[in-house]
Coordinates of all heavy atoms in Angstrom, one line a residue:
M248 N -8.7 10.0 25.1 CA -8.7 9.8 23.7 C -7.5 8.9 23.3 O -6.4 9.1 23.8 CB -8.4 11.1 23.0 CG -9.6 12.0 22.9 SD -9.2 13.4 21.9 CE -10.4 14.5 22.5
G249 N -7.7 7.9 22.5 CA -6.7 7.0 22.1 C -6.2 7.4 20.7 O -6.8 8.1 19.9
G250 N -5.0 6.9 20.4 CA -4.5 7.1 19.0 C -3.7 8.3 18.9 O -3.6 9.1 19.8
D251 N -3.1 8.4 17.7 CA -2.2 9.6 17.4 C -3.0 10.6 16.6 O -3.9 10.3 15.8 CB -1.0 9.1 16.6 CG -0.1 8.2 17.3 OD1 0.1 8.4 18.5 OD2 0.5 7.3 16.7
S252 N -2.6 11.9 16.7 CA -3.1 12.9 15.9 C -2.5 12.7 14.5 O -1.4 12.1 14.4 CB -2.8 14.3 16.4 OG -1.4 14.5 16.3
S253 N -3.1 13.2 13.5 CA -2.6 13.1 12.1 C -1.2 13.8 12.0 O -0.3 13.3 11.3 CB -3.5 13.6 11.1 OG -3.8 14.9 11.2
G254 N -1.0 14.9 12.7 CA 0.2 15.6 12.7 C 1.4 14.8 13.3 O 2.5 14.7 12.8
E255 N 1.1 14.0 14.4 CA 2.1 13.2 15.0 C 2.4 12.0 14.1 O 3.6 11.7 13.9 CB 1.6 12.7 16.4 CG 2.6 11.9 17.1 CD 2.2 11.5 18.5 OE1 1.3 12.1 19.1 OE2 2.8 10.5 19.0
V256 N 1.4 11.5 13.4 CA 1.7 10.4 12.5 C 2.6 10.9 11.4 O 3.5 10.2 10.9 CB 0.3 9.8 12.0 CG1 0.6 8.8 10.8 CG2 -0.4 9.1 13.1
D257 N 2.3 12.1 10.8 CA 3.1 12.6 9.8 C 4.5 12.9 10.2 O 5.4 12.6 9.5 CB 2.5 14.0 9.3 CG 1.2 13.8 8.6 OD1 0.8 12.7 8.2 OD2 0.4 14.8 8.4
R258 N 4.7 13.3 11.4 CA 6.1 13.6 11.9 C 6.8 12.3 12.1 O 8.0 12.2 11.8 CB 6.1 14.3 13.3 CG 5.7 15.8 13.1 CD 5.9 16.6 14.4 NE 5.1 16.1 15.5 CZ 3.8 16.4 15.7 NH1 3.2 17.3 14.9 NH2 3.1 15.9 16.7
R259 N 6.2 11.2 12.5 CA 6.8 9.9 12.7 C 7.2 9.3 11.3 O 8.2 8.8 11.1 CB 5.9 9.0 13.4 CG 5.9 9.2 14.9 CD 5.1 8.2 15.6 NE 5.0 8.6 17.0 CZ 4.3 7.8 17.9 NH1 3.7 6.8 17.5 NH2 4.3 8.2 19.2
A260 N 6.3 9.5 10.3 CA 6.6 9.0 9.0 C 7.8 9.8 8.4 O 8.6 9.2 7.8 CB 5.3 9.2 8.1
E261 N 7.8 11.1 8.6 CA 8.9 11.9 8.1 C 10.2 11.4 8.8 O 11.3 11.3 8.1 CB 8.7 13.3 8.4 CG 9.7 14.3 7.8 CD 9.3 15.7 8.0 OE1 8.1 16.1 8.0 OE2 10.2 16.5 8.2
L262 N 10.2 11.2 10.1 CA 11.3 10.7 10.8 C 11.8 9.4 10.3 O 13.0 9.2 10.1 CB 11.0 10.6 12.3 CG 12.1 10.1 13.2 CD1 13.3 11.1 13.2 CD2 11.6 9.9 14.6
G263 N 10.9 8.5 10.0 CA 11.3 7.2 9.4 C 12.0 7.3 8.1 O 12.9 6.5 7.8
L264 N 11.6 8.3 7.3 CA 12.3 8.5 6.0 C 13.7 9.0 6.1 O 14.5 8.7 5.2 CB 11.5 9.5 5.2 CG 10.1 9.1 4.7 CD1 9.4 10.2 4.1 CD2 10.2 7.9 3.8
S265 N 14.1 9.6 7.2 CA 15.4 10.1 7.4 C 16.4 9.0 7.9 O 17.6 9.2 8.0 CB 15.4 11.3 8.4 OG 15.2 10.8 9.7
R266 N 15.8 7.9 8.3 CA 16.6 6.8 8.9 C 17.7 6.3 8.0 O 17.4 6.2 6.8 CB 15.6 5.6 9.2 CG 16.2 4.6 10.2 CD 15.2 3.6 10.5 NE 15.5 2.9 11.7 CZ 14.6 2.4 12.5 NH1 13.4 2.4 12.2 NH2 15.0 1.8 13.6
P267 N 18.9 6.0 8.4 CA 19.3 5.9 9.8 C 19.8 7.2 10.4 O 20.2 7.2 11.6 CB 20.5 4.9 9.7 CG 21.1 5.2 8.3 CD 19.9 5.6 7.5
S268 N 19.7 8.3 9.7 CA 20.1 9.6 10.3 C 19.0 10.1 11.2 O 17.9 9.8 11.0 CB 20.3 10.6 9.2 OG 21.4 10.2 8.4
I269 N 19.5 10.7 12.3 CA 18.5 11.4 13.2 C 18.6 12.9 12.9 O 19.7 13.4 12.7 CB 19.0 11.1 14.7 CG1 18.9 9.6 15.0 CG2 18.1 11.9 15.6 CD1 19.5 9.2 16.3
P270 N 17.5 13.5 12.8 CA 17.5 15.0 12.6 C 18.5 15.6 13.5 O 18.6 15.3 14.7 CB 16.1 15.4 12.8 CG 15.3 14.2 12.5 CD 16.1 13.1 13.0
S271 N 19.3 16.6 13.0 CA 20.4 17.1 13.7 C 20.0 17.8 15.1 O 20.7 17.6 16.1 CB 21.2 18.1 12.9 OG 20.4 19.2 12.5
E272 N 18.8 18.4 15.1 CA 18.4 19.1 16.3 C 18.0 18.0 17.4 O 18.3 18.2 18.6 CB 17.3 20.1 16.1 CG 16.0 19.5 15.6 CD 15.9 19.2 14.1 OE1 16.9 19.5 13.4 OE2 14.8 18.8 13.6
V273 N 17.5 16.9 16.9 CA 17.1 15.8 17.9 C 18.4 15.2 18.4 O 18.6 14.9 19.6 CB 16.2 14.8 17.2 CG1 15.9 13.6 18.1 CG2 14.9 15.5 16.8
D274 N 19.3 14.9 17.5 CA 20.6 14.2 17.8 C 21.4 15.1 18.8 O 21.9 14.6 19.8 CB 21.4 14.0 16.5 CG 22.6 13.1 16.8 OD1 22.5 12.0 17.3 OD2 23.7 13.5 16.3
R275 N 21.4 16.4 18.6 CA 22.1 17.3 19.4 C 21.5 17.3 20.8 O 22.2 17.3 21.9 CB 22.1 18.7 18.8 CG 22.9 19.7 19.6 CD 23.0 21.1 18.9 NE 22.0 21.5 18.0 CZ 22.1 21.4 16.6 NH1 23.1 20.9 16.1 NH2 21.0 21.7 15.9
A276 N 20.2 17.3 20.9 CA 19.5 17.3 22.2 C 19.7 16.0 22.9 O 20.0 16.0 24.1 CB 18.0 17.5 22.0
L277 N 19.7 14.9 22.2 CA 20.0 13.6 22.9 C 21.4 13.6 23.5 O 21.6 13.2 24.6 CB 19.8 12.5 21.9 CG 18.5 12.1 21.4 CD1 18.5 11.1 20.2 CD2 17.6 11.5 22.5
L278 N 22.4 14.0 22.7 CA 23.8 14.0 23.1 C 24.0 15.0 24.3 O 24.7 14.7 25.2 CB 24.7 14.3 21.9 CG 24.7 13.2 20.8 CD1 25.5 13.7 19.6 CD2 25.2 11.9 21.4
T279 N 23.4 16.1 24.2 CA 23.5 17.2 25.2 C 22.9 16.7 26.5 O 23.5 16.8 27.6 CB 22.9 18.5 24.8 OG1 23.5 18.9 23.6 CG2 23.0 19.5 25.9
D280 N 21.7 16.1 26.5 CA 21.1 15.6 27.7 C 21.9 14.4 28.3 O 22.1 14.4 29.5 CB 19.7 15.1 27.3 CG 18.7 16.2 27.1 OD1 19.0 17.3 27.3 OD2 17.5 15.9 26.6
L281 N 22.4 13.5 27.5 CA 23.2 12.4 28.0 C 24.5 12.9 28.6 O 24.9 12.5 29.7 CB 23.5 11.4 26.9 CG 24.3 10.2 27.4 CD1 23.6 9.4 28.5 CD2 24.6 9.3 26.2
S282 N 25.1 13.9 27.9 CA 26.4 14.5 28.5 C 26.1 15.1 29.8 O 26.9 14.9 30.8 CB 26.9 15.5 27.5 OG 27.4 14.9 26.4
G283 N 25.0 15.8 29.9 CA 24.7 16.5 31.2 C 24.4 15.5 32.3 O 24.8 15.6 33.4
D284 N 23.6 14.4 32.0 CA 23.3 13.4 32.9 C 24.6 12.7 33.4 O 24.7 12.3 34.6 CB 22.3 12.4 32.4 CG 20.9 12.9 32.2 OD1 20.6 14.0 32.7 OD2 20.1 12.2 31.5
L285 N 25.5 12.4 32.5 CA 26.7 11.7 32.9 C 27.8 12.6 33.4 O 28.7 12.1 34.1 CB 27.3 10.9 31.6 CG 26.4 9.8 31.0 CD1 27.1 9.3 29.8 CD2 26.2 8.7 32.0
G286 N 27.7 13.9 33.2 CA 28.8 14.8 33.6 C 30.0 14.6 32.7 O 31.1 14.9 33.1
V287 N 29.8 14.1 31.5 CA 30.9 13.8 30.6 C 30.6 14.5 29.3 O 29.6 14.3 28.7 CB 31.1 12.3 30.3 CG1 32.2 12.0 29.3 CG2 31.3 11.5 31.6
Y288 N 31.5 15.4 28.9 CA 31.1 16.3 27.7 C 31.9 15.9 26.5 O 31.7 16.5 25.4 CB 31.3 17.7 28.1 CG 30.4 18.1 29.2 CD1 30.8 18.0 30.6 CD2 29.1 18.3 29.0 CE1 29.9 18.3 31.6 CE2 28.2 18.5 30.0 CZ 28.6 18.5 31.3 OH 27.7 18.7 32.3
D289 N 32.6 14.8 26.5 CA 33.3 14.3 25.3 C 32.9 12.8 25.2 O 33.6 11.9 25.7 CB 34.8 14.5 25.4 CG 35.5 14.1 24.1 OD1 34.8 14.0 23.1 OD2 36.7 13.8 24.2
L290 N 31.7 12.6 24.6 CA 31.2 11.2 24.6 C 32.0 10.4 23.5 O 32.2 10.9 22.4 CB 29.7 11.2 24.2 CG 28.8 11.9 25.3 CD1 27.4 12.0 24.7 CD2 28.9 11.1 26.6
S291 N 32.3 9.2 23.8 CA 33.0 8.4 22.8 C 32.0 8.0 21.6 O 30.8 8.0 21.8 CB 33.5 7.1 23.5 OG 32.4 6.2 23.8
P292 N 32.6 7.7 20.5 CA 31.8 7.2 19.4 C 30.9 6.0 19.7 O 29.8 5.9 19.2 CB 32.8 6.9 18.3 CG 34.0 7.7 18.6 CD 34.0 7.8 20.1
E293 N 31.4 5.1 20.5 CA 30.6 4.0 20.9 C 29.4 4.4 21.7 O 28.3 3.9 21.5 CB 31.5 3.0 21.8 CG 32.6 2.3 21.0 CD 33.8 3.2 20.9 OE1 34.0 4.2 21.6 OE2 34.7 2.9 20.1
I294 N 29.5 5.3 22.6 CA 28.4 5.8 23.4 C 27.4 6.5 22.5 O 26.2 6.3 22.6 CB 28.9 6.7 24.6 CG1 29.6 5.8 25.6 CG2 27.7 7.4 25.2 CD1 30.2 6.6 26.8
R295 N 27.9 7.3 21.6 CA 27.0 8.0 20.7 C 26.2 7.0 19.8 O 25.0 7.2 19.6 CB 27.8 8.9 19.8 CG 28.4 10.1 20.5 CD 29.4 10.9 19.6 NE 30.0 11.9 20.3 CZ 29.8 13.2 20.0 NH1 28.9 13.6 19.1 NH2 30.4 14.1 20.7
D296 N 26.9 6.0 19.3 CA 26.2 5.0 18.5 C 25.2 4.2 19.3 O 24.1 4.0 18.8 CB 27.2 4.0 17.9 CG 28.1 4.6 16.9 OD1 27.7 5.7 16.3 OD2 29.1 4.0 16.5
R297 N 25.5 3.9 20.6 CA 24.5 3.2 21.4 C 23.3 4.1 21.7 O 22.1 3.6 21.7 CB 25.1 2.7 22.7 CG 26.1 1.6 22.5 CD 26.6 1.1 23.8 NE 25.5 0.6 24.7 CZ 25.7 0.4 26.0 NH1 26.8 0.7 26.6 NH2 24.7 0.0 26.7
L298 N 23.5 5.3 21.9 CA 22.4 6.2 22.2 C 21.5 6.3 20.9 O 20.3 6.3 21.0 CB 22.9 7.6 22.5 CG 21.9 8.7 22.8 CD1 21.0 8.4 23.9 CD2 22.5 10.1 22.9
R299 N 22.1 6.4 19.8 CA 21.3 6.5 18.5 C 20.6 5.2 18.3 O 19.4 5.2 17.8 CB 22.2 6.9 17.4 CG 22.7 8.3 17.5 CD 23.8 8.6 16.6 NE 24.3 10.0 16.7 CZ 25.5 10.4 16.6 NH1 26.5 9.6 16.4 NH2 25.8 11.7 16.8
E300 N 21.2 4.1 18.5 CA 20.5 2.8 18.4 C 19.3 2.7 19.3 O 18.2 2.3 18.9 CB 21.4 1.6 18.7 CG 22.5 1.4 17.6 CD 23.5 0.4 18.1 OE1 23.3 -0.4 19.1 OE2 24.6 0.3 17.4
R301 N 19.4 3.1 20.5 CA 18.3 3.1 21.5 C 17.2 4.1 21.1 O 16.0 3.8 21.2 CB 18.8 3.4 22.9 CG 19.7 2.3 23.4 CD 19.9 2.4 24.9 NE 18.7 2.5 25.6 CZ 18.2 1.6 26.4 NH1 18.8 0.5 26.6 NH2 17.1 1.8 27.1
F302 N 17.6 5.2 20.5 CA 16.6 6.2 20.0 C 15.7 5.5 18.9 O 14.5 5.5 19.0 CB 17.3 7.4 19.3 CG 16.4 8.3 18.6 CD1 15.6 9.2 19.2 CD2 16.3 8.1 17.2 CE1 14.7 10.0 18.5 CE2 15.4 9.0 16.4 CZ 14.7 9.9 17.1
W303 N 16.4 4.8 17.9 CA 15.6 4.1 16.9 C 14.8 3.0 17.4 O 13.6 2.7 17.0 CB 16.5 3.7 15.7 CG 16.9 4.8 14.9 CD1 18.1 5.3 14.7 CD2 16.0 5.7 14.1 NE1 18.1 6.4 13.9 CE2 16.8 6.7 13.5 CE3 14.6 5.7 13.9 CZ2 16.3 7.6 12.7 CZ3 14.1 6.7 13.1 CH2 14.9 7.6 12.5
R304 N 15.3 2.3 18.4 CA 14.5 1.2 19.0 C 13.3 1.7 19.7 O 12.2 1.2 19.6 CB 15.4 0.5 20.1 CG 14.7 -0.8 20.6 CD 15.6 -1.6 21.6 NE 16.9 -1.7 21.2 CZ 18.0 -1.6 22.0 NH1 17.8 -1.4 23.3 NH2 19.2 -1.7 21.6
R305 N 13.4 2.9 20.4 CA 12.2 3.5 21.0 C 11.2 4.0 20.0 O 10.0 3.9 20.2 CB 12.7 4.6 21.9 CG 11.6 5.2 22.7 CD 11.1 4.3 23.8 NE 10.1 5.0 24.5 CZ 9.0 4.4 24.9 NH1 8.7 3.2 24.7 NH2 8.1 5.1 25.6
V306 N 11.7 4.6 18.9 CA 10.8 5.0 17.8 C 10.1 3.8 17.3 O 8.8 3.9 17.1 CB 11.6 5.7 16.7 CG1 10.7 5.9 15.5 CG2 12.2 7.0 17.2
D307 N 10.8 2.7 17.1 CA 10.1 1.5 16.6 C 9.0 1.0 17.6 O 7.9 0.6 17.2 CB 11.1 0.4 16.3 CG 12.0 0.7 15.1 OD1 11.6 1.5 14.3 OD2 13.0 0.0 15.0
E308 N 9.3 1.0 18.9 CA 8.4 0.6 19.9 C 7.1 1.4 19.9 O 6.0 0.9 20.0 CB 9.0 0.6 21.3 CG 10.1 -0.5 21.5 CD 10.9 -0.3 22.8 OE1 10.6 0.7 23.5 OE2 11.8 -1.1 23.0
T309 N 7.3 2.7 19.8 CA 6.2 3.6 19.9 C 5.4 3.7 18.6 O 4.2 3.9 18.6 CB 6.6 5.0 20.3 OG1 7.5 5.6 19.4 CG2 7.2 5.1 21.7
T310 N 6.0 3.4 17.5 CA 5.4 3.4 16.2 C 4.5 2.2 16.0 O 3.5 2.3 15.4 CB 6.4 3.5 15.1 OG1 7.2 4.7 15.3 CG2 5.8 3.6 13.7
T311 N 4.9 1.1 16.6 CA 4.2 -0.2 16.4 C 3.0 -0.4 17.4 O 2.3 -1.3 17.2 CB 5.1 -1.4 16.4 OG1 5.8 -1.4 17.7 CG2 6.1 -1.3 15.3
R312 N 2.9 0.5 18.3 CA 1.8 0.4 19.3 C 0.5 0.8 18.7 O 0.4 1.6 17.9 CB 2.1 1.3 20.5 CG 3.2 0.9 21.4 CD 3.2 1.7 22.6 NE 4.3 1.3 23.5 CZ 4.8 1.9 24.4 NH1 4.3 3.1 24.7 NH2 5.8 1.5 25.2
T313 N -0.5 0.1 19.2 CA -1.9 0.4 18.8 C -2.5 1.2 20.0 O -2.0 1.2 21.1 CB -2.7 -0.8 18.5 OG1 -2.8 -1.6 19.7 CG2 -2.1 -1.6 17.4
P314 N -3.6 1.9 19.8 CA -4.2 2.6 20.9 C -4.5 1.8 22.1 O -4.5 2.3 23.2 CB -5.5 3.1 20.3 CG -5.3 3.2 18.8 CD -4.3 2.0 18.5
D315 N -4.7 0.5 22.0 CA -5.0 -0.4 23.1 C -3.8 -0.9 23.8 O -3.8 -1.6 24.8 CB -5.8 -1.6 22.6 CG -7.2 -1.2 22.1 OD1 -7.6 0.0 22.5 OD2 -7.8 -1.9 21.3
T316 N -2.6 -0.7 23.2 CA -1.3 -1.2 23.7 C -0.8 -0.2 24.7 O -0.6 1.0 24.3 CB -0.3 -1.4 22.6 OG1 -0.8 -2.3 21.6 CG2 1.0 -2.0 23.2
P317 N -0.4 -0.6 25.9 CA 0.1 0.4 26.9 C 1.5 0.9 26.6 O 2.2 0.3 25.9 CB 0.1 -0.4 28.2 CG -0.1 -1.9 27.8 CD -0.6 -1.9 26.5

């Protein structure tokens, strides 16, 4: 099956409305995962900002895909 479910489309639209903020539970999960992967539990503001920028870049990439786009 190709394409997004209407629920997923709704969640992405809602996420886009919160931009540039990332929902706190998502932000916390991203930071926790990165901290664990790096073994560093006090991430610098620069690293936090880069992670958030990459998050939005990935959202943009997945939002602009069509069902035929890999």
Side-chain angles (χ1 to χ4, degrees):
M248 282 187 203
D251 295 324
S252 69
S253 62
E255 185 175 338
V256 171
D257 290 344
R258 286 189 299 275
R259 286 185 184 179
E261 186 177 324
L262 179 62
L264 293 174
S265 71
R266 195 177 202 154
S268 296
I269 298 173
S271 61
E272 65 277 2
V273 174
D274 192 49
R275 185 172 28 259
L277 289 170
L278 294 171
T279 300
D280 287 351
L281 181 60
S282 290
D284 288 349
L285 295 176
V287 176
Y288 297 96
D289 187 20
L290 299 173
S291 71
E293 294 82 13
I294 290 174
R295 291 171 183 252
D296 289 344
R297 287 184 62 197
L298 177 63
R299 291 169 178 142
E300 287 172 16
R301 292 194 52 114
F302 169 82
W303 283 116
R304 188 178 317 143
R305 185 68 177 139
V306 168
D307 290 342
E308 289 171 0
T309 59
T310 301
T311 57
R312 287 186 180 165
T313 62
D315 296 337
T316 304

